[in-house]
Amino acid sequence: MDINGVLKRINPAFTSTLGWAEEELLNKSFYSFLHPYDLQPTNDEFKKLNSGKNTINFSNRFKTKKNEYKTLQWNATIELQTHKVLAISRDITKERNVQQKILNNESKLKSQLENSPGFIFTHDLSGNFIFLNNNCPQRLGYTKIEMLGMKLFDFVSKEQRPALDNYLNELKTTGKAEGLMIINDIKGE
């Protein structure tokens, strides 16, 4: 590729991955195959490359012969004397699709947890809250920020603190614990 993004030599793996024949790619602008949303970030990366900085693990979407897009991850360097760009890419489309599915599932799960009518929370081994769903602070009369700065001990009566200590100790020693906890709201009820 030259410094303007015109493809000059192509590896056979590149043509087989994208479905284009070599003659359909050669002497064509690299940019004409990019997804429109990737034009500006790719142009910015190309400017860095032209200034002598190597490109490492840069990703963009490249159009296939079937008019679909594959996500390619690039490593590139420029020969400043000849103004040739030497680049190698790998198809990371499947990894990106899996990554997107995981993010979507995490988002759905988080939404379900956040909006559950029950009290859902996690805490560390000292009883400090790490995560609270929306129902916890709403039902107890606190803000989420207030509760995240508190401990389980702040919500149980003095009589229940030994049971809470036992619960936390069992978690520390065995990695699991079960039990029922009666908690107090902001009014102490």
Side-chain angles (χ1 to χ4, degrees):
M1 181 180 334
D2 67 16
I3 59 170
N4 298 313
V6 175
L7 299 167
K8 296 296 185 182
R9 271 183 65 194
I10 297 166
N11 182 307
F14 193 69
T15 57
S16 67
T17 297
L18 300 170
W20 298 102
E22 186 174 342
E23 57 274 5
E24 293 174 298
L25 295 168
L26 285 178
N27 298 313
K28 302 278 188 330
S29 172
F30 174 81
Y31 291 96
S32 64
F33 296 96
L34 293 179
H35 188 283
Y37 291 159
D38 293 340
L39 289 171
Q40 188 60 52
T42 301
N43 192 47
D44 294 344
E45 190 67 26
F46 217 81
K47 285 178 184 174
K48 288 182 200 173
L49 190 60
N50 279 323
S51 73
K53 296 179 183 171
N54 290 341
T55 292
I56 300 171
N57 296 331
F58 178 76
S59 299
N60 59 18
R61 290 163 289 183
F62 207 91
K63 189 185 298 185
T64 68
K65 178 85 172 191
K66 293 180 181 178
N67 210 28
E68 299 168 343
Y69 285 93
K70 292 205 177 208
T71 302
L72 302 179
Q73 185 178 66
W74 296 90
N75 290 318
T77 189
I78 189 166
E79 287 183 340
L80 293 174
Q81 300 82 6
T82 63
H83 301 291
K84 289 182 183 175
V85 176
L86 306 170
I88 185 166
S89 69
R90 71 181 189 98
D91 182 3
I92 61 166
T93 306
K94 288 180 184 175
E95 290 104 342
R96 281 286 170 96
N97 289 341
V98 167
Q99 190 178 48
Q100 190 58 49
K101 285 178 184 177
I102 290 169
L103 290 173
N104 290 342
N105 287 338
E106 283 178 355
S107 178
K108 287 176 188 175
L109 179 59
K110 186 172 182 178
S111 177
Q112 289 172 346
L113 289 173
E114 286 284 359
N115 298 304
S116 171
F119 285 19
I120 299 175
F121 58 87
T122 58
H123 59 81
D124 64 17
L125 294 176
S126 298
N128 299 301
F129 289 110
I130 298 170
F131 168 83
L132 303 159
N133 73 340
N134 292 328
N135 197 36
C136 287
Q138 287 172 358
R139 297 276 304 275
L140 296 175
Y142 294 92
T143 68
K144 202 173 213 180
I145 293 171
E146 287 173 323
M147 280 191 73
L148 286 170
M150 300 170 87
K151 292 184 170 201
L152 285 170
F153 289 99
D154 297 320
F155 296 93
V156 298
S157 66
K158 289 181 183 178
E159 296 78 34
Q160 287 198 334
R161 288 188 180 170
L164 181 54
D165 278 325
N166 289 338
Y167 161 78
L168 292 172
N169 285 331
E170 187 176 341
L171 271 178
K172 289 175 189 174
T173 57
T174 68
K176 61 182 179 178
E178 292 182 20
L180 179 66
M181 185 176 3
I182 299 171
I183 58 174
N184 299 322
D185 64 15
I186 199 166
K187 298 175 190 170
E189 300 172 355

